[in-house]
């Protein structure tokens, strides 16, 4: 008998593209010329990019039916997920995106505002200001995870957080930016509604148990190694697809461990084990992650890539770069933006939305 070598079909990924926004999008959806993202007529698309590790092809949604059967099946399954409405959770409605997640760092050493809000009265003032400026939720952190930073003890981290968390209005949505399970649990008991773990639940193996026990929604972030070493020459075979596979495998793992809810937000982790080229590839192609069926969060605010692209006119605030990348992300259907300058970005989004009404 002859040896038969099994030829495996390459893995295909669906990235929706060529988005329309506002009134133009509504008309096109009604005319069946575009498909709505997450069932929202205000943002729709009429093209898809079919990506494998060896090829890329952009086609109109009208041409899906003429694809080879096996590929057509995969693409149609993905499209079904992409156009499905997102359910709200913890007072977060995905009807009117983007949701703005304000940032409050209670640290002495965060990369852009370290030491500014590590006293309770100033932290409280900033918290109120961020909500007043249009933040839908606020991410509070007591440990810096900027590139090169070292881990601190749970005791030090909790001492920075406890006083502000104790004063929080329970009706407000507070996210806790921590990698440590005991900090998560203490925060949840004080009314924290979302956990944002930059390690993708890899830092502390007990985190998963705490999140499952309290049924707490969380952000699943991709990061290549811990902050102290993550920027030491990060390498990927294909940054976009490697992160996609990470999310897919992690979600399967979480399901096996008994986390069956969909109250999970995906964050590809801009700047967490990525160089400029990696970051730009992710932001430009961010809409690939819609086919995972969960909301996407993008943390682009004041990040180093803005400095790397703007050269001589970089300022420590980087509001311009945060604004332009926020609008771009919004146009790709990103549901949550993690932002320092809430007032400015919210203002920019409101004006932009009005212009394309």
């Amino acid at each position: 008998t002859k040896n038969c070598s099994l030829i495996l079909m390459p893995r295909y990924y669906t990235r929706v593209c060529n988005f329309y926004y506002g009134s133009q999008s509504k008309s096109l959806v009604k005319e069946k010329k575009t498909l709505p993202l997450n069932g929202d007529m205000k943002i729709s698309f009429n093209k898809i990019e079919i990506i494998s590790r060896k090829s890329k092809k952009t086609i109109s949604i009208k041409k899906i039916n003429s694809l080879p059967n096996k590929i057509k099946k995969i693409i149609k399954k993905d499209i079904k997920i992409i156009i499905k409405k997102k359910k709200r959770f913890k007072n977060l409605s995905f009807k009117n995106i983007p949701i703005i997640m304000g940032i409050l760092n209670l640290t002495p050493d965060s990369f852009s505002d370290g030491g500014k809000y590590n006293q309770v009265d100033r932290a409280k003032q900033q918290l109120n200001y961020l909500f007043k400026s249009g933040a839908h939720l606020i991410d509070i952190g007591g440990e810096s995870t900027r590139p090169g930073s070292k881990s601190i003890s749970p005791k030090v981290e909790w001492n920075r957080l406890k006083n502000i968390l104790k004063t929080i209005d329970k009706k407000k949505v507070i996210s806790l930016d921590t990698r440590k399970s005991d900090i998560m649990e203490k925060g949840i008991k004080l009314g924290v509604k979302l956990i944002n773990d930059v390690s993708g639940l890899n830092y502390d193996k007990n985190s998963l148990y705490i999140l499952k026990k309290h049924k707490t929604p969380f952000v699943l972030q991709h990061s290549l190694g811990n902050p102290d070493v993550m920027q030491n020459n990060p390498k990927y075979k294909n940054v976009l697809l490697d992160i996609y596979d990470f999310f897919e495998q992690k979600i399967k793992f979480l399901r096996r461990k008994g986390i069956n809810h969909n109250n999970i937000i995906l964050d590809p982790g801009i700047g967490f084990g990525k160089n400029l080229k990696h970051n730009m590839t992710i932001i430009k192609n961010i809409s690939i992650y819609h086919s995972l069926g969960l909301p996407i969060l993008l943390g682009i605010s004041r990040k180093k890539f803005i400095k790397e692209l703007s050269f001589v006119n970089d300022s420590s605030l980087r509001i311009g770069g945060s604004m332009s990348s926020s609008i771009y992300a919004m146009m790709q259907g990103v549901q949550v933006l993690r932002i320092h300058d809430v007032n400015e970005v919210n203002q920019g989004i409101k004006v932009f939305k009005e212009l394309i009404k």
Side-chain angles (χ1 to χ4, degrees), residues 312-327:
V312 289
N313 63 349
D314 173 62
S315 79
S316 57
L317 291 173
R318 303 177 189 165
I319 293 176
S322 303
M323 187 70 253
S324 59
S325 43
S326 294
I327 295 276

Side-chain angles (χ1 to χ4, degrees), residues 17-28:
C17 49
N18 210 36
F19 284 93
Y20 294 85
Y21 216 90
S23 55
Q24 189 187 17
S25 172
K26 284 182 188 173
S27 310
L28 290 167

Side-chain angles (χ1 to χ4, degrees), residues 23 44 73 80 100-101 128 130 147 217 223 255 261 266:
S23 55
S44 61
K73 219 174 152 183
K80 209 175 162 183
I100 294 180
M101 175 193 257
N128 294 335
L130 291 172
S223 178
R255 299 296 184 230
H261 62 73
L266 304 177

